[in-house]
Structures are given as structure tokens and as C-alpha cells.
């Protein structure tokens, strides 16, 4: 069988989500870096993998998959032992809502390409970019903290084993710290991030990993 190839960028939070999932499943894979700063994601070579010109893309099972959550759900549906989404429909809906709150609401407005364009058309500099990130990440994670005030929350976002919601939360917390968004008071968010940080699969997926 061909070794899967993850096309990613070390600081990309969407890629970070997929790295966590691959590590939790112990799927051996190669990684090919697509350097966002060098704009390699807009090269013809990468656009052939993902017409959106975004990372990650995962070559697996003869497919070229894109969209981190679609990739995670594909792995969940095709790999034995994966439990990235709970079985009960109401629980699945909750995990998806938590994951989407990050991946579909916080992440897109804070994407590097979006922030760079806002700065370009407004003439904002580093201070404006930082204020933008702080606002949207801070507000988004504050809402997530309230969503996590729920009996279904356990050591992780949903119960006591990691799900797709944790795969989204952890990279977003990494970004919050990077941009110095004020999330110190978000007790559940921080406790879950700390619980995830104890797991080797999350450690190895981190941009801070050696
Ligand atoms: N919804 C997509 C988002 C992918 C995405 O936005 N990736 C970012 C890195 S985290 C990217 O490639 N940004 C390049 C750009 O904005 O030009 C997913 O979950 O895979």
C-alpha cells in the first residue's frame, strides 16, 4: 500500500488538526511542507492537489483529500478504532458544533490570507493585525468556553477521550497564545488544552514539536 502523504505547513492550524488525527491512529505517513510564506500553496503543483490553494491536503487510499474536517471524518469512517465522533446523533451534533465553532467561525476570519488582505486594503500594520487576531480569537474562544459549560464536557470537549472538537480547539489555543489573545480566564478551554497536551499524539502534532 502506498504511504499516505500529508501536504501541510508547520504553523497551519487546519494541518495541525489532521496531524493530531493521523497520530492518534498511528498512521505512518510522509509530510511534504507547503510553505505558506513562500506562497507555495498558490503554485500550480499545489493547486492541482487543492484548487482552493489551501493546506492541508492528504493523499491516501488513492485519493487526494482536502478540508481538514472532511479528512478527519474520512479517517474516522475508514480506520478501525477511530472514535473522533461519538456514536449517538445528539452527541455527534454537539462535537460537530464545537468543532465548527472553531473551524468555520474563528479560523476563516483569522486565516493568514484573509488577515493579510484586510491589512492590505486598510493600510493596517502589525498592530492592526494583532488587534484583529486578538478580537476574533478571544471572542470566539470565550463563546466556546460557554458552550463547554455542559454536563457532556469531561476531561476533553466531549467526555473523557479526545474527539474532533479537541482537534480543533488545541490548534486554536496555540494561535491564541501566539497572538496573545486574552484567554487566561477561560478555565474549561485551558483545562482541556492542558489535558490534550499530555497526550503524545497531540505533542507530536504541535508546531512546537522538534
Ligand atoms: N477549511 C479549510 C481551511 C484551510 C486553510 O485555511 N488553511 C490555511 C492554513 S491554516 C491556509 O492554507 N491559508 C493560506 C491562505 O490563507 O492563503 C480546512 O479546514 O482545511
Amino acid at each position: 500500500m502506498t504511504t499516505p502523504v500529508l501536504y501541510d505547513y508547520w504553523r497551519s492550524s487546519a494541518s495541525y488538526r489532521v496531524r493530531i488525527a493521523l497520530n492518534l491512529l498511528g498512521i505512518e505517513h510522509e509530510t511534504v511542507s507547503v510553505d505558506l510564506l513562500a506562497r507555495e500553496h498558490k503554485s500550480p503543483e499545489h493547486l492541482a492537489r487543492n484548487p482552493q490553494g489551501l493546506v492541508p491536503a492528504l493523499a491516501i487510499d488513492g485519493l487526494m483529500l482536502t478540508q481538514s474536517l472532511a479528512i478527519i471524518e474520512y479517517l474516522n469512517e475508514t480506520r478501525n478504532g477511530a472514535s473522533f465522533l461519538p456514536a449517538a446523533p445528539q452527541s455527534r451534533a454537539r462535537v460537530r458544533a464545537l468543532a465548527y465553532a472553531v473551524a468555520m467561525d474563528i479560523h476563516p476570519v483569522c486565516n493568514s490570507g484573509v488577515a493579510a488582505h484586510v491589512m492590505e486594503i486598510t493600510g493596517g500594520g502589525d498592530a492592526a493585525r494583532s488587534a484583529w487576531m486578538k478580537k476574533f480569537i478571544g471572542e470566539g474562544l470565550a463563546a466556546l468556553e460557554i458552550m463547554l459549560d455542559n454536563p457532556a464536557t469531561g476531561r476533553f470537549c466531549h467526555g473523557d477521550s479526545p474527539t474532533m472538537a479537541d482537534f480543533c480547539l488545541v490548534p486554536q489555543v496555540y494561535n491564541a497564545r501566539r497572538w496573545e489573545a486574552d484567554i487566561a480566564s477561560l478555565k474549561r478551554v485551558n483545562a482541556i488544552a492542558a489535558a490534550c497536551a499530555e497526550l503524545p499524539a497531540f505533542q507530536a502534532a504541535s508546531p512546537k514539536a522538534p
Side-chain angles (χ1 to χ4, degrees):
M1 205 171 80
T2 319
T3 306
V5 182
L6 178 65
Y7 297 89
D8 84 347
Y9 181 63
W10 67 284
R11 224 170 199 171
S12 150
S13 53
S15 304
Y16 189 173
R17 296 172 200 148
V18 173
R19 293 198 296 263
I20 295 168
L22 289 168
N23 292 347
L24 276 172
L25 291 172
I27 296 179
E28 278 188 37
H29 60 280
E30 291 167 15
T31 299
V32 172
S33 173
V34 179
D35 188 338
L36 299 187
L37 297 183
R39 299 197 58 75
E40 287 176 0
H41 54 307
K42 302 299 181 193
S43 66
E45 204 179 3
H46 189 68
L47 287 170
R49 297 175 198 126
N50 182 355
Q52 288 187 284
L54 301 169
V55 290
L58 180 69
I60 191 168
D61 300 342
L63 305 166
M64 182 64 76
L65 302 179
T66 62
Q67 286 291 344
S68 61
L69 299 192
I71 295 171
I72 290 164
E73 293 218 19
Y74 175 83
L75 295 174
N76 193 54
E77 287 161 9
T78 59
R79 266 50 188 184
N80 286 337
S83 54
F84 301 159
L85 285 165
Q90 62 272 35
S91 302
R92 286 172 97 84
R94 177 170 186 265
V95 167
R96 286 190 173 120
L98 293 166
Y100 295 176
V102 172
M104 296 184 188
D105 293 323
I106 305 176
H107 179 260
V109 279
C110 296
N111 205 345
S112 53
V114 173
H117 188 62
V118 174
M119 297 315 126
E120 192 184 318
I121 61 179
T122 60
D126 287 347
R129 185 193 312 269
S130 171
W132 176 276
M133 296 297 192
K134 280 187 171 76
K135 172 182 166 62
F136 290 110
I137 297 173
E139 287 178 1
L141 287 179
L144 200 74
E145 174 76 12
I146 297 167
M147 293 167 78
L148 289 167
D149 183 9
N150 182 299
T153 301
R155 183 167 161 73
F156 298 101
C157 286
H158 190 83
D160 292 323
S161 57
T163 63
M164 185 166 78
D166 303 286
F167 306 173
C168 293
L169 179 141
V170 165
Q172 197 58 66
V173 168
Y174 166 83
N175 278 342
R177 292 182 181 144
R178 177 182 171 202
W179 292 103
E180 298 180 344
D182 183 9
I183 61 160
S185 65
L186 307 183
K187 290 196 174 58
R188 296 176 197 88
V189 164
N190 284 300
I192 292 167
C196 291
E198 288 176 18
L199 303 180
F202 283 76
Q203 290 164 8
S206 169
K208 292 181 185 161

